[in-house]
């Protein structure tokens, strides 16, 4: 058996007794297919174009109305010796290295220190750039959350997760599910494409892991017709993201009280959706109920493994959020700047 055929083996991804033939369109049912996801790649690039237009024509004037302006920092003077060290070794040289660089560049120690401070400031993203990025994400998350509500409000599995597996795998794909998946996956693809020029935060690596795990999870759930649980996972994630991006915008606009209030609400919603609903409803649904119908198989463990990766990231972010709330509740909102 070739590696490709082995990878797509029925025994790996589907419960015992089922094959890919069971997911072929028949009896009036239309099933999700891997080829349906090809459109997410051009859609991701379309999102990049829409984002560019949105940030230029909507987010920038909105930032100006909030008193946020583009501030051009003082540029560090051209110095090949210091620039080479900055780009290849460290942005924050130790004192011994500063002394050595001072001799190589024919500058005083104080001038070298000043150069590195200016160079770091030069690379630091401005508030306007952060505001535009947060505005774009906020608009998408609001649209995605509202769209998810409309796609799921009348579905029985939203209120009874046992219904996720009723009739599996003979569950016909709905148009609302198709577009919900395509738009969400396209957006996360857009985030990965734009990571090179987006603002890099302290949890940059965790964000990359999150985006990749989300795309793998959604792709797998689509291919094996786990669409019902996939839509629930997306809805739970979008709920708190709306509040986080809102808090960022008010932070950049220096509306401290509003930022504090929204961040506290965000923290509560995050804990409820990501640390209660996600593990005790959704992971419980994917871990307990399927084995009532089929014996465990590789795809079962793989899907739950991806959910556990997301849960670990949620716990990491929950720790940061609790620490943030503890710090700024009795101080100023300035402590949030490193997080937001």
């Amino acid at each position: 058996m070739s590696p490709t055929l082995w990878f797509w083996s029925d025994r790996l991804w589907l419960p015992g007794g089922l094959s890919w033939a069971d997911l072929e369109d028949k009896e009036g049912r239309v099933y999700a297919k891997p080829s349906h996801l090809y459109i997410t790649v051009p859609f991701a690039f379309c999102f990049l174009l829409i984002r560019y237009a949105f940030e230029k024509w909507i987010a920038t004037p909105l930032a100006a109305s909030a008193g946020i302006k583009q501030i051009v920092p003082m540029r560090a003077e051209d110095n090949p010796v210091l620039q080479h060290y900055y780009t290849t070794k460290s942005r924050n040289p130790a004192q011994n290295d500063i002394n050595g660089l001072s001799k190589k560049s024919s500058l005083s120690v104080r001038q070298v220190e000043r150069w590195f401070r200016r160079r770091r400031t030069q690379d630091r993203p401005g508030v306007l750039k952060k505001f535009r990025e947060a505005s774009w994400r906020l608009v998408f998350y609001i649209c995605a959350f509202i769209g998810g509500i409309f796609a799921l409000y009348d579905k029985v599995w939203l209120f009874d997760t046992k219904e996720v597996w009723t009739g599996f795998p003979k569950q016909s794909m709905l148009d609302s599910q198709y577009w919900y998946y395509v738009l969400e996956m396209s957006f996360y693809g857009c985030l990965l494409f734009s990571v090179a020029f987006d603002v890099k935060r302290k949890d940059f690596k965790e964000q990359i892991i999150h985006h990749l795990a989300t795309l793998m999870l959604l792709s797998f759930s689509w291919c094996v017709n786990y669409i019902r649980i996939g839509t629930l996972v997306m809805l739970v994630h979008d709920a708190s993201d709306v509040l986080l991006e809102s808090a960022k915008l008010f932070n950049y606009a220096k509306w401290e009280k509003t930022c504090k209030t929204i961040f506290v609400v965000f923290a509560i919603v995050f804990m409820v959706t990501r640390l209660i609903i996600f593990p005790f409803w959704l992971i419980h649904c994917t871990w307990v109920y399927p084995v009532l119908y089929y014996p465990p198989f590789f795809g079962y463990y793989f899907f739950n493994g991806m959910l556990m990766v997301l849960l670990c990231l949620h716990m990491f972010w929950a720790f940061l959020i609790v620490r943030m709330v503890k710090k700024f509740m009795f101080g100023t909102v300035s402590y949030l700047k490193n997080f937001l």
Side-chain angles (χ1 to χ4, degrees), residues 228-240:
R228 290 183 178 181
I229 188 63
T231 54
L232 294 179
V233 171
M234 289 189 289
L235 185 67
V236 165
H237 280 70
D238 290 337
S240 59

Side-chain angles (χ1 to χ4, degrees), residues 6-7 9-16 220 226 295-305:
W6 177 86
F7 181 81
S9 171
D10 302 336
R11 292 179 297 175
L12 279 179
W13 305 112
L14 297 176
F220 173 75
Y226 286 5
F297 57 103
F298 176 79
Y300 164 83
Y301 293 113
F302 177 81
F303 187 72
N304 282 288

Side-chain angles (χ1 to χ4, degrees), residues 160-173:
D160 183 4
T161 53
K162 287 184 179 180
E163 293 295 326
V164 165
W165 304 105
T166 300
F168 178 84
K170 296 181 178 181
Q171 298 170 342
S172 186
M173 178 186 67

Side-chain angles (χ1 to χ4, degrees), residues 249-272:
L249 293 182
F250 286 109
N251 178 47
Y252 302 146
K254 300 186 184 302
W255 290 31
E256 294 192 1
K257 291 184 178 180
T258 305
C259 176
K260 272 189 174 184
T261 302
I262 294 178
F263 191 82
V264 171
V265 175
F266 156 74
I268 295 172
V269 172
F270 185 95
M271 300 301 171
V272 171

Side-chain angles (χ1 to χ4, degrees), residues 30 32 37 147 151-152 155 157 171-184 222 225-232 234:
V30 178
L37 300 182
L152 290 168
K155 306 300 185 295
W157 56 86
Q171 298 170 342
S172 186
M173 178 186 67
L174 305 176
D175 288 341
S176 58
Q177 294 172 330
Y178 171 80
W179 285 109
Y180 195 16
Y181 259 81
V182 166
L183 294 178
E184 284 274 358
W222 180 265
N225 211 30
Y226 286 5
I227 300 178
R228 290 183 178 181
I229 188 63
T231 54
L232 294 179
M234 289 189 289

Side-chain angles (χ1 to χ4, degrees), residues 73-91:
M74 185 178 294
R75 296 183 62 85
E77 298 177 357
D78 292 335
N79 190 303
V81 174
L82 301 183
Q83 180 65 24
H84 180 266
Y85 184 94
Y86 182 88
T87 55
T88 61
K89 294 185 179 181
S90 174
R91 293 159 50 99

